[in-house]
Amino acid sequence: MQDLLQSLLDSVDAEPLDHLVTDEQVLDRTALLVAVRNGVEAELTRTVRRAESIQAPERDGLKSMRSWLRGHLRLSAREAARIVGNGRALELLPAVASAFGAGAVTAEQVAVIAPVAAVEVQAEAVGQGVDLAAVDQALAEVATTQVHAALGKVVQHFLDRLNPDGTEPDPTETRLLSIARHPDGSRTFRGELDAVGGEKFEVWLESLVQANRLAGDTRTRSQQLADALVQGVDNALASGQAPILRTVKPHVIVTIPLADLVDLAVLPGAARTGFGAEISAARARMLACDGNVTRIVIGPEGQPLEEGRSKRVYPPHLRRAVEVRDLHCVFAGCDAPSYWCDVHHLLHWVDGGETDLDNAALLCERHHTKVHHGFRIERQPDGTWRTYRPDGTEILIPEPLLTG
């Protein structure tokens, strides 16, 4: 194995990258580097398995290779678990291990195959007289000759055939969702859903994506899905049907000093959300356009002294009037439906803008954000809307071509 890795590395070093001038050369080098990476990961997996088998982490006062990989090499918990799990599985899958060592199989593919090597699966297979060596060879062949997606289907097919009459698993036992909050308030999600739960989620999300397919949309697929998820949450919160949370209906809470709310400067970190994230004053002003505002007087030692009544900026009857008039987002080129939109004050209410029909406009979240960051909308005497960029130029929608 070491000789193979060295020969692969020598092949890479033999031709400096800046000397590659043809498509074929660059693609060949890419394929070679993937093979080198696979070979290195195979050797790493074998080494970690050896360290685990002789309890090497005890030397540094740790009980597992997972914790050693996380603490000493700063690997993520997920990656450390994958390496350890692959090492255990490969001991029972020699054909797959050989292909892995030769650079023809990736660590990710090994992780897909690993469930086949589980103790209970191997025991069931032996009990049914399954030729495990043949299964190992078949999996190695699929991994080295077919696309990645096919491998997962083959593994699942084997597991399903092995126990066709097994008990139906409780889908709630396999569903997982974790949310990591970062210092800037952004979130990272990681989760798993069962087949039916995942299907429901994708159908719901896709309906929101397809309902907001606008002409000239340059967002990536992942951006469209993320925007759809936020829009779905907005719809759920706005409907008022969410369960009561600590005696009140769930809503976004933002705390900001009045002086920062009134000041037109962006002021990063001027406001704080209910979960502790810091957002800009501009973002807080945008949320205040179509929300409840509560005045709280704070004493010199930071304790609340007085709380005024919550004031709904746009009451339901006025919102309905705005929806009837505007029908959808009024930003040029957008037709997001009214139930996706906030009611925006053309002249912000903290600056003396009236909470009335003449001072209102429907804007979807995306364009509400744009208007609070330099773009501008104006309603004309004839009832039409015009949209202007931050540089003052107007966004014009081309007239449709007339056909004979």
Side-chain angles (χ1 to χ4, degrees):
M1 178 62 201
Q2 290 180 344
D3 292 340
L4 173 62
L5 284 178
Q6 188 59 53
S7 65
L8 290 172
L9 289 171
D10 290 342
S11 298
V12 173
D13 290 336
E15 191 72 32
L17 183 59
D18 55 3
H19 289 180
L20 304 182
V21 295
T22 68
D23 296 344
E24 182 180 6
Q25 288 176 317
V26 175
L27 293 177
D28 285 347
R29 183 186 177 95
T30 301
L32 180 60
L33 286 170
V34 170
V36 170
R37 184 192 67 177
N38 293 343
V40 171
E41 288 187 342
E43 192 65 18
L44 170 63
T45 302
R46 291 178 62 249
T47 304
V48 168
R49 179 56 183 153
R50 175 61 178 168
E52 184 181 42
S53 65
I54 64 174
Q55 299 180 331
E58 291 288 353
R59 180 176 183 274
D60 292 328
L62 297 175
K63 68 176 183 178
S64 72
M65 277 305 294
R66 288 188 185 184
S67 57
W68 191 89
L69 290 169
R70 293 198 308 268
H72 285 254
L73 300 182
R74 297 170 295 283
L75 269 63
S76 69
R78 184 178 184 180
E79 180 63 13
R82 184 171 76 167
I83 293 173
V84 172
N86 282 356
R88 296 172 182 174
L90 289 173
E91 289 187 337
L92 300 174
L93 301 166
V96 175
S98 177
F100 189 27
V105 171
T106 69
E108 187 177 15
Q109 289 177 301
V110 174
V112 172
I113 297 171
V116 173
V119 174
E120 62 275 13
V121 172
Q122 293 277 306
E124 182 67 26
V126 170
Q128 295 186 27
V130 175
D131 186 348
L132 290 175
V135 172
D136 177 29
Q137 288 286 348
L139 291 173
E141 181 179 353
V142 172
T144 55
T145 61
Q146 299 190 34
V147 296
H148 182 82
L151 180 62
K153 293 179 180 179
V154 170
V155 170
Q156 190 59 51
H157 178 71
F158 170 75
L159 297 176
D160 291 341
R161 291 290 298 275
L162 197 63
N163 187 22
D165 299 321
T167 57
E168 185 70 18
D170 181 352
T172 62
E173 293 181 355
T174 60
R175 295 174 186 163
L176 301 171
L177 178 64
S178 62
I179 304 175
R181 289 198 294 270
H182 304 299
D184 64 352
S186 61
R187 265 73 162 177
T188 297
F189 298 87
R190 178 176 179 269
E192 294 183 17
L193 294 175
D194 62 285
V196 175
E199 189 74 14
K200 292 177 180 178
F201 179 66
E202 286 203 48
V203 167
W204 171 73
L205 207 57
E206 192 63 32
S207 70
L208 293 168
V209 170
Q210 295 303 323
N212 193 28
R213 292 184 65 184
L214 307 176
D217 188 356
T218 59
R219 292 174 299 166
T220 64
R221 173 67 174 173
S222 61
Q223 289 173 324
Q224 291 176 343
L225 290 173
D227 286 344
L229 178 60
V230 174
Q231 185 63 63
V233 174
D234 280 345
N235 293 351
L237 292 177
S239 71
Q241 300 302 310
I244 296 298
L245 179 64
R246 297 291 189 268
T247 74
V248 297
K249 291 182 178 180
H251 56 282
V252 175
I253 299 174
V254 176
T255 304
I256 182 172
L258 179 60
D260 292 336
L261 184 62
V262 175
D263 191 348
L264 292 181
V266 174
L267 297 175
R272 181 175 293 272
T273 68
F275 281 104
E278 292 188 346
I279 62 176
S280 69
R283 188 69 172 167
R285 282 193 291 272
M286 191 187 102
L287 291 171
C289 272
D290 197 18
N292 292 331
V293 178
T294 301
R295 175 179 58 84
I296 300 177
V297 179
I298 305 295
E301 297 179 358
Q303 74 278 19
L305 298 179
E306 175 191 347
E307 179 178 347
R309 294 180 61 189
S310 292
K311 178 184 177 183
R312 175 72 184 179
V313 177
Y314 265 98
H317 73 280
L318 271 179
R319 179 183 174 90
R320 285 195 295 272
V322 178
E323 290 178 346
V324 169
R325 185 195 68 189
D326 292 345
L327 300 178
H328 53 74
C329 176
V330 301
F331 199 95
C334 183
D335 59 1
S338 61
Y339 48 87
W340 286 13
C341 297
D342 300 326
V343 181
H344 168 70
H345 284 76
L346 299 176
L347 177 62
H348 195 42
W349 65 274
V350 297
D351 299 322
E354 296 292 333
T355 301
D356 58 22
L357 188 59
D358 290 337
N359 194 41
L362 279 184
L363 288 172
C364 68
E365 183 196 27
R366 177 181 178 84
H367 292 129
H368 198 176
T369 302
K370 293 290 187 184
V371 169
H372 278 267
H373 288 80
F375 285 79
R376 180 169 52 88
I377 56 173
E378 287 184 359
R379 190 166 187 269
Q380 305 305 303
D382 62 359
T384 59
W385 289 92
R386 301 177 72 172
T387 306
Y388 298 89
R389 302 180 181 89
D391 62 7
T393 59
E394 184 177 0
I395 299 177
L396 299 175
I397 305 301
E399 293 291 333
L401 294 176
L402 299 179
T403 61

